[in-house]
Amino acid sequence: MPVVNVKQVLANERTYLEWMNMAVTIGGIAGGLLGFSVGGSSRETTTEKHENAEQVAQYIGLLLLPVSIVFAVYACWLYYYRNKQIHQQATTNLQVVNSPVVLGIILLFSLIGILLIDLTVSDRALYI
């Protein structure tokens, strides 16, 4: 049985937990927005402003939910990839450089999408 460096294994687990923490945070925000927007109100009469706010929250939640799933899938893939490399005692570099950049770009586009959704669905204009 090969000897495995415990520091690498624990560092891999810490990295996995950090990525999953980010995925759960984004998913929690998305789920909260969806839960509050779809829940409906107990009042019979709702104002148009209230309906627009619910619609914005629902669109933002639907935009963020796939982003959180992508983060969780990436976290699992990265953990298993590095775990396999560690246990095979591969001499290759364990750093993955391009994937976090892609995830950052996905998150950036989702934030831009949130801004655009807020500006188009709600009746506010952007004053610069």
Side-chain angles (χ1 to χ4, degrees):
M1 176 172 243
V3 178
V4 177
N5 188 355
V6 178
K7 287 182 180 181
Q8 287 182 333
V9 173
L10 293 176
N12 187 29
E13 289 179 4
R14 276 193 312 270
T15 305
Y16 171 71
L17 291 175
E18 288 296 324
W19 280 108
M20 286 304 288
N21 185 18
M22 185 66 166
V24 168
T25 301
I26 295 172
I29 292 170
L33 287 171
L34 286 174
F36 285 120
S37 67
V38 178
S41 63
S42 60
R43 298 179 294 161
E44 288 293 323
T45 59
T46 58
T47 63
E48 184 177 329
K49 192 175 194 179
H50 182 67
E51 289 174 3
N52 280 345
E54 285 183 352
Q55 193 175 18
V56 168
Q58 187 175 14
Y59 289 152
I60 292 172
L62 288 173
L63 180 68
L64 286 179
L65 196 58
V67 173
S68 71
I69 292 170
V70 168
F71 270 70
V73 168
Y74 173 73
C76 291
W77 172 81
L78 183 65
Y79 174 74
Y80 286 115
Y81 168 76
R82 286 183 178 167
N83 198 30
K84 180 180 168 186
Q85 295 293 324
I86 290 169
H87 286 287
Q88 289 178 351
Q89 294 184 341
T91 58
T92 61
N93 193 0
L94 294 176
Q95 289 183 339
V96 180
V97 179
N98 297 331
S99 303
V101 173
V102 171
L103 287 176
I105 290 172
I106 290 172
L107 188 60
L108 176 69
F109 280 133
S110 68
L111 293 176
I112 290 171
I114 289 170
L115 176 67
L116 294 176
I117 287 170
D118 189 35
L119 291 176
T120 57
V121 175
S122 64
D123 296 326
R124 290 184 275 176
L126 182 62
Y127 298 108
I128 298 177

